[in-house]
Amino acid sequence: MRGFLWTLFPLLAAAGVYANALTLESPKITITGSDATQLRTESLLLKQKDKPVLSLGPTDVLKLTFQIVEKDGGKGVQPHQTFLRFYDEVSGEEGIQPVRVTAGGKAKFELNMAPPPLSLPPTTINPLKVTLLLGSFVHSPAKYQLFDLYVPESQPPPQHPDEVAFHLRPEIQHTFRPEQKIPAKAWSGFFAAFVFWPWLVLFGFWGELSPRVPNLLSPYIFPFIATLAAFEGLLIRYWIDLKLGQVLLYGAILAIPTAFTGKQALARIAQRRLGRK
């Protein structure tokens, strides 16, 4: 039982400390102009339902001072986090500004509108709800609505020289070339016959002349015919996907066996002709 109480005691103590809430003491606002004249000074009442409405000019300065203390005992406390939240209820934009607090809980914040801080959200004609947020590891978090603030409208941001390139461009209307007209089949057949008519004439005279053709399968002639066919295949391959440099390289390599086999074939044909005579 005693061990259980020793275990429970730190938890109860921590819960009691955490339950101790924070409050503000002597919150006060002061608005001064560009010539350091006081335009408005007012103490804030946290329990007041209707919060004060403040308005700042382009060169005015708002000063907010207060002290953060414990509700029970009034001891000054430095929270782990202290922020002012500027919120526009219409646009939904907000800005968070940290507030520096001393070890004794005293805080001072200045908002100078010339120029305004970067943490201030983009402003319009709508007021900004200014709320103080307190966060602590050993105290209950606190949130206090302080006042409504009117500030000058934000100027539009300067346009980047490359911003136009990211805007929506007009749709590109492509103009396609009309489809190619195919000639009539009769004309295509006529020109095809015109291309092949020399072969028809050749075969017509072949029977009249009856030339003596050497045996193409001869071991002396067939290699030469094969190398010539290889040359033709190389040219067809060049037309499909080869480059000129590749054709010249392969052609130079193929020229050696072609010249050798051609010489052998011509020598064999000449030898047969001389033997017959």
Side-chain angles (χ1 to χ4, degrees):
M1 185 67 179
R2 181 177 299 179
F4 174 76
L5 292 178
W6 278 109
T7 305
L8 186 62
F9 178 77
L11 298 176
L12 296 177
V17 173
Y18 188 80
N20 194 0
L22 299 176
T23 186
L24 302 184
E25 188 177 86
S26 303
K28 182 180 180 181
I29 55 172
T30 302
I31 299 177
T32 58
S34 57
D35 54 354
T37 58
Q38 290 190 359
L39 303 178
R40 182 174 178 176
T41 301
E42 184 177 348
S43 297
L44 299 177
L45 301 177
L46 301 180
K47 297 182 180 180
Q48 184 178 354
K49 186 176 181 181
D50 297 331
K51 301 301 179 182
V53 179
L54 309 179
S55 180
L56 295 180
T59 58
D60 295 343
V61 179
L62 170 66
K63 294 182 181 180
L64 172 63
T65 57
F66 55 88
Q67 185 178 11
I68 304 173
V69 298
E70 295 179 345
K71 278 188 176 182
D72 299 336
K75 179 182 177 182
V77 176
Q78 183 183 28
H80 294 86
Q81 293 180 340
T82 305
F83 295 102
L84 279 177
R85 182 186 184 227
F86 300 87
Y87 177 63
D88 189 339
E89 292 181 332
V90 177
S91 64
E93 297 284 350
E94 70 172 1
I96 302 296
Q97 178 67 39
V99 180
R100 182 173 299 178
V101 182
T102 63
K106 293 185 178 182
K108 179 181 179 182
F109 172 77
E110 290 190 4
L111 176 61
N112 190 350
M113 297 304 299
L118 298 178
S119 59
L120 201 67
T123 53
T124 60
I125 58 175
N126 306 314
L128 297 175
K129 300 289 184 180
V130 181
T131 307
L132 180 64
L133 306 175
L134 304 177
S136 175
F137 296 142
V138 295
H139 299 85
S140 300
K143 176 181 177 181
Y144 296 101
Q145 178 68 39
L146 300 181
F147 49 84
D148 293 346
L149 180 64
Y150 284 92
V151 294
E153 293 186 53
S154 301
Q155 297 294 328
Q159 186 176 7
H160 194 274
D162 297 334
E163 183 179 358
V164 182
F166 296 93
H167 290 177
L168 184 63
R169 295 300 185 97
E171 183 180 358
I172 299 176
Q173 300 293 337
H174 294 279
T175 303
F176 296 95
R177 186 174 58 185
E179 295 184 3
Q180 185 178 2
K181 295 183 179 181
I182 300 177
K185 293 184 179 180
W187 284 103
S188 299
F190 171 77
F191 284 104
F194 182 78
V195 171
F196 289 103
W197 76 267
W199 292 95
L200 299 177
V201 174
L202 177 61
F203 288 127
F205 285 108
W206 186 276
E208 297 293 335
L209 298 176
S210 299
R212 294 181 179 180
V213 179
N215 185 11
L216 299 181
L217 298 179
S218 172
Y220 297 96
I221 299 177
F222 179 76
F224 178 61
I225 301 299
T227 53
L228 292 179
F231 260 110
E232 294 295 332
L234 179 62
L235 295 178
I236 294 174
R237 192 66 180 174
Y238 168 61
W239 182 71
I240 296 175
D241 63 352
L242 288 182
K243 297 181 180 179
L244 181 59
Q246 294 174 321
V247 174
L248 295 177
L249 175 61
Y250 301 152
I253 297 174
L254 191 58
I256 298 174
T258 303
F260 178 76
T261 56
K263 182 179 179 182
Q264 294 292 332
L266 292 177
R268 186 64 177 178
I269 294 173
Q271 183 179 0
R272 286 186 177 182
R273 293 253 180 119
L274 293 175
R276 289 176 183 177
K277 291 182 180 180

